[in-house]
Amino acid sequence: MDIELTLQEAHQAELKRLLHRPDGTEAAAYVLYGMSHIAVDPWSRQARLRLTSFEIVPIPSDDAVSASERHITWRTGSYVSLCRRAADEGLLPGIVHSHPGGFPDFSTQDDRNERELFRLARNRNGDEARLLSLLLIGKDRFRARLWVDEKAPLEVGTIRSVGTRLIYTTVVAATPDAAFDRQARAFGAGLNSILRGLRVGVVGCGATGSATAMLLARLGIGQIALFDEDIVEVTNLNRLHGARRADADAMRPKVEVVAREISELGLGVRVRAYQNWVEDSSVRDALKACDVIFGCTDDHGGRLFLNRFAHFYLIPVIDMGLAIEPSPEGGLRDMSARVTVLTPGAPCLMCRGVADARAAGEEALRRSAPAEYERQKREAYVRGGGDPAPAVVTFTTEAASMAVNELLQGLVDYRGEGRWAWQRVRRLDRGEERRQGAKQRPDCPICVDTHYWGRADVEPFLDRIG
């Protein structure tokens, strides 16, 4: 089983603060993790477990027994309480301790101590109990392993942090590929290794989505998942990258067309296509398996779903939109591209006014009960759809480029700003670009209340009824 760990950036900083002792002695803390069970990974076809930091729990000072540069011991009463809470709330308990001297691995003493703590967890929570051990080596290097039985723990293969950037603590070196040599010259071979290992979802494969998918493939992303339930129509042909007249005549799914074009590039990208609405339960495993998701849908329901999903699963969503608004007097009132990063700590799409719950409800009604939707539209209970929004392929492609570049910014900080922009807006008609701030609503349950951050799998899914 493949095991991965994602830490909230704020949690990583808190752990470093708790574990860095001025006297150089070892220190420890507890962590509660959300669990994301992926029954079948789209690319490996194997089960995966993704753990996400939910809450840091300091060890009470009264529990401390002794500490030195090479050991740390404490009473286990608080640990038993942690296990009880984990069982009650469907979380996974974890311990973290430091090796301030830089010893790069778990010690034999760690093995003995953790095995005993695992026995305590199993005695308290039953045979399905698990224990995650996280080790801070020196000042900023992490290793992790998961105890599932008393024999030997399982290594956690990938550790990442999510917040103002997306940072990988563990990176497996990729085999050099001549196709991406020029890219390595710009950013170093390390970026190519990260990109080759990434699993990226693209939700919506229309104008911006098809452009985004093609750019990701040419960038060297190793695994791409495409989500869209629509088919190619004649009106798509001037904007949908890879689409042909024959695709419209055959009413081919957009995801199949984009997947075909990516495969024919011959760049070794493993692409999976899902002709499904993003909220369909059949694609949950595929979504949860992604490291980053690009939101290229223009509907409010899809945006609200991804808005919530990003916080539950600590999977950054890079949402994009394009507005081309003609003026009644002639010319254009607005022509702007928007890219918004959704991750814990950033203002969400509801607080920004990008996604609207009422509009999402109307979309859901149109999808599930079209006759009732038309009745309510006639009686003005719902607003109904207007004329199709204007779109131009050069501008939809520019919006896609902005979004993919924001991913690069989050990985390598090529702008030297130390972080990605929560929202970037470019006025295409004026050549102006700015970061756009937003006030978070004090009562926002998504981006202000941290209750859902890193919570991962719950019933009902995303804690939504209906």
Side-chain angles (χ1 to χ4, degrees), residues 105-123:
D105 204 348
F106 293 91
S107 67
T108 55
Q109 185 63 48
D110 293 336
D111 295 343
R112 289 191 291 269
N113 293 343
E114 291 174 15
R115 186 172 284 108
E116 184 60 34
L117 289 173
F118 173 69
R119 288 194 189 106
L120 280 174
R122 179 158 285 189
N123 290 338

Side-chain angles (χ1 to χ4, degrees), residues 160-199:
R160 65 177 72 83
S161 68
V162 170
T164 54
R165 291 181 60 193
L166 177 58
I167 298 176
Y168 281 78
T169 301
T170 55
V171 179
V172 177
T175 303
D177 190 329
F180 304 105
D181 174 70
R182 301 295 182 91
Q183 191 167 281
R185 292 173 185 269
F187 296 119
L191 175 63
N192 285 352
S193 293
I194 292 173
L195 297 177
R196 181 55 68 187
L198 280 181
R199 300 170 172 92

